[in-house]
Amino acid sequence: MPAPRGGASDSTGASAGIPAPATPRRHLHGTAPSRIAGGGDWCDKRGDVYQLDARYLLQADDGAVIDITNRGYYHEEDPTAPAQHDGALQVSETGVYYRTSPVFRTDAPAHLWLARTVFIGLARGNDSEVAIRFYSVT
């Protein structure tokens, strides 16, 4: 997999859904949110490790805007990083450490749970996109 890129690119990846506390899986009104134009991502490379910082806006299907700051780390050839699956979906690759810690902000009452919950993200990507599956920490 190619290394993360700096500059403004689509790093939204808000894939399939975002689980919330007290429910097995909770989505933003049942669909993946759409990305609002703008935002950006940056990375600093130190040795073989990329420190990531992405900022973007998503819009839920009810029209609510959700501001995301998503920071994390990416590096390859890590023998301690196993492939991880969520059911049949592979959310990370063997040997690739690609983890994020998103912070969500919104004033929309239906989505306030996002701003009150700690999440981790497991990411994977290719030349054209990054997909991140978010999990709540309870």
Side-chain angles (χ1 to χ4, degrees):
M1 183 182 118
R5 299 175 305 277
S9 64
D10 183 6
S11 62
T12 60
S15 72
I18 303 171
T23 60
R25 184 164 308 269
R26 186 168 175 182
H27 298 267
L28 297 176
H29 290 275
T31 62
S34 59
R35 179 178 172 268
I36 296 175
D41 58 55
W42 300 265
C43 66
D44 291 324
K45 184 177 182 191
R46 297 202 172 114
D48 292 332
V49 177
Y50 292 87
Q51 183 176 350
L52 312 170
D53 184 357
R55 297 162 192 228
Y56 43 92
L57 298 173
L58 298 178
Q59 186 168 29
D61 64 357
D62 65 356
V65 175
I66 301 164
D67 177 16
I68 302 173
T69 299
N70 198 9
R71 295 186 173 130
Y73 293 94
Y74 171 90
H75 53 89
E76 295 180 351
E77 300 179 19
D78 182 342
T80 66
Q84 294 182 319
H85 293 80
D86 185 351
L89 176 68
Q90 183 175 351
V91 293
S92 68
E93 301 173 45
T94 302
V96 177
Y97 185 91
Y98 200 171
R99 309 289 189 270
T100 70
S101 181
V103 174
F104 298 88
R105 294 187 318 174
T106 185
D107 291 331
H111 304 292
L112 284 177
W113 65 273
L114 290 165
R116 298 175 179 165
T117 306
V118 173
F119 293 90
I120 59 163
L122 298 178
R124 61 186 169 79
N126 58 37
D127 287 336
S128 63
E129 67 181 2
V130 172
I132 305 170
R133 176 66 62 102
F134 295 118
Y135 299 90
S136 63
V137 177
T138 56

